Amino acid sequence: MSDEDSADSDVRPADPVAAGDTAGYGTIELEANGLSFECLVEQPATDANDAGDLAVCLHGFPDDAGSMVPVLDALSESGYTAVAPYMRGYAPTDPAPDGEYTAEALGTDANALLDVAADHFDRDGERVLVGHDWGAVATYAAAAANPDAMDRLVAMAVPPRFEALLTRYPKQVLRSWYMWLFQVPGFPEQALRWRDFEFVEFLWGLWSPGWDYSRSRIESVKATMARGDTVEHALAYYRQIVGGGLKEMVFHGPPSPDEGPAIEVPALLITGARDGCIGTDLYDEAERAFDAPCRVLRVSDAGHFVHQERPALVGDEIRRFLDGA
C-alpha cells in the first residue's frame, strides 16, 4: 500500500547553499565485498537516544558522499550512526576489480556495508539503507536480494523498477537523453571533463532548476570526478544498465513493472516535483514493487537533489518515518 503525500514548507536551512559541505566530518575506510570504501561518518548526537541503530547512505551521479551530509545530520539527531561511502569506482573508493557496475553489484556492496559497519561500530539495533539516484538503485537491489539485511529503506529521486517504467512513460525517454548519450564510446568522457567539468554544473541546473548550490559542494563533486578514472567508472554504471536492458528487450520484449521479486522492506520514497531528470509521475505505480508498506513523498519546491535542496524538510520526514509515524 502506498500513501502519496505532497510536502511544502517555508522552512529552509540557515545557509541553504551550504547544505552538503563536508568540513568537520570524520572519514573511515571500510572493507566490504572485496573493496575498500572511503566513508564519511557521523555518530549519534550527544543528546540523542543511542539505541545502537545504523544507517548507510548511498550517493548518486554526478555526485559524491558529501551530498549525504544533510541526511547524516538528520540521522545522527535520531541516535543513528550514519555512514556515507563513496560508491564503487568513485575515488578514493576502489574501482570494481572485475569491472562490474551493475545494480546487482551495487546492491551486494550495500548489504556488505551494512554488515561491516555494524561490526565496526558495534551497532546491534535497527539498520536503515538510504539511497539517492544510483544509491536508490543500489538500495532497491539490496532490499530485493536480502530483505532481512535492513529494517527500513529510504530511496530518493529514482523509482523502483525504473528500467521497466521507461517504455510506459514516453516523456521519460526524452528526459533520459543523457543515458543514451553515455552509450557513445569516448565522447562522454571528453564531455564530462570539458572546461573543468562544466557539464556537471549543466546537469545540476537542468535536474534541479533554481537550486542555489554552494561552490564548495560543486567543487567537491568536480574534485571527486577528476580523481583517477572516476569518470570512466561512473559512465560504466550507465553503460552496463542500458546495455543489459537493451539485450533483455531484444530477446524477451519490454520488461513489466510487475516483474522481479517484490521488495519486502518498509519504504519511504522521496521525489522532487520539479525533477528535470526523472519525472515524479513515475512514482504513481511505486507500490507495485513492494510487499511492504510504501509511502511516496512528493516535495513540491525541489528537483532531483531533493535532500540537498530541502534538507530540513527531508530530514524531518526521514525521522518521522524511522519513528514509525
Side-chain angles (χ1 to χ4, degrees):
M1 177 178 173
S2 174
D3 296 325
E4 296 183 7
D5 293 339
S6 178
D8 197 4
S9 172
D10 293 330
V11 178
R12 288 182 178 270
D15 182 9
V17 299
D21 293 341
T22 60
Y25 289 82
T27 61
I28 191 172
E29 285 189 9
L30 293 177
E31 302 291 330
N33 195 28
L35 301 173
S36 178
F37 289 86
E38 177 88 0
C39 307
L40 298 177
V41 178
E42 189 166 2
Q43 296 285 4
T46 55
D47 58 348
N49 178 27
D50 185 355
D53 298 331
L54 171 73
V56 171
C57 307
L58 307 171
H59 70 83
F61 169 91
D63 216 336
D64 63 17
S67 77
M68 306 309 295
V69 161
V71 180
L72 300 184
D73 290 346
L75 290 163
S76 72
E77 291 172 11
S78 293
Y80 281 75
T81 292
V83 179
Y86 289 78
M87 298 281 277
R88 66 164 53 198
Y90 282 74
T93 288
D94 287 344
D98 55 2
E100 186 174 359
Y101 294 94
T102 62
E104 292 76 15
L106 302 179
T108 303
D109 287 349
N111 283 331
L113 282 162
L114 282 169
D115 287 337
V116 170
D119 289 342
H120 181 88
F121 293 104
D122 194 22
R123 304 279 88 184
D124 59 0
E126 288 204 348
R127 296 185 184 184
V128 176
L129 197 55
V130 181
H132 173 257
D133 190 79
W134 274 104
V137 174
T139 296
Y140 298 134
N146 186 7
D148 294 330
M150 68 204 73
D151 296 283
R152 294 172 185 263
L153 70 82
V154 179
M156 300 178 285
V158 176
R161 299 176 179 171
F162 172 68
E163 310 95 296
L165 295 172
L166 263 175
T167 57
R168 298 170 62 91
Y169 291 83
K171 287 184 179 179
Q172 187 56 49
V173 176
L174 299 178
R175 291 192 193 101
S176 298
W177 60 268
Y178 63 95
M179 294 177 61
W180 323 129
L181 174 67
F182 289 169
Q183 307 309 305
V184 180
F187 175 74
E189 289 85 344
Q190 297 178 37
L192 279 173
R193 292 188 171 102
W194 182 67
R195 294 181 61 175
D196 189 28
F197 295 92
E198 190 169 300
F199 192 68
V200 170
E201 294 205 49
F202 168 73
L203 290 177
W204 279 30
L206 182 66
W207 294 351
S208 286
W211 177 31
D212 190 15
Y213 50 82
S214 72
R215 293 313 307 174
S216 59
R217 182 84 286 273
I218 193 71
E219 292 303 328
S220 171
V221 172
K222 289 181 178 182
T224 297
M225 300 300 292
R227 295 184 69 169
D229 293 326
T230 296
V231 164
E232 284 74 15
H233 304 149
L235 290 171
Y237 283 53
Y238 289 97
R239 287 168 174 161
Q240 292 185 19
I241 196 170
V242 171
L246 288 175
K247 290 178 182 177
E248 189 71 17
M249 288 181 64
V250 168
F251 290 106
H252 303 289
S256 166
D258 294 319
E259 292 179 359
I263 298 173
E264 301 174 359
V265 179
L268 171 63
L269 311 183
I270 304 176
T271 170
R274 301 193 308 182
D275 192 332
C277 177
I278 296 179
T280 190
D281 52 338
L282 271 69
Y283 284 81
D284 292 347
E285 305 177 64
E287 73 278 0
R288 296 169 68 173
F290 286 85
D291 272 346
C294 166
R295 176 183 170 219
V296 176
L297 174 71
R298 288 181 169 88
V299 181
S300 61
D301 188 20
H304 189 68
F305 298 90
V306 56
H307 59 306
Q308 295 190 73
E309 298 171 69
R310 305 300 302 276
L313 186 151
V314 170
D316 287 345
E317 292 292 339
I318 290 176
R319 285 194 294 266
R320 283 184 54 210
F321 171 63
L322 298 181
D323 289 341

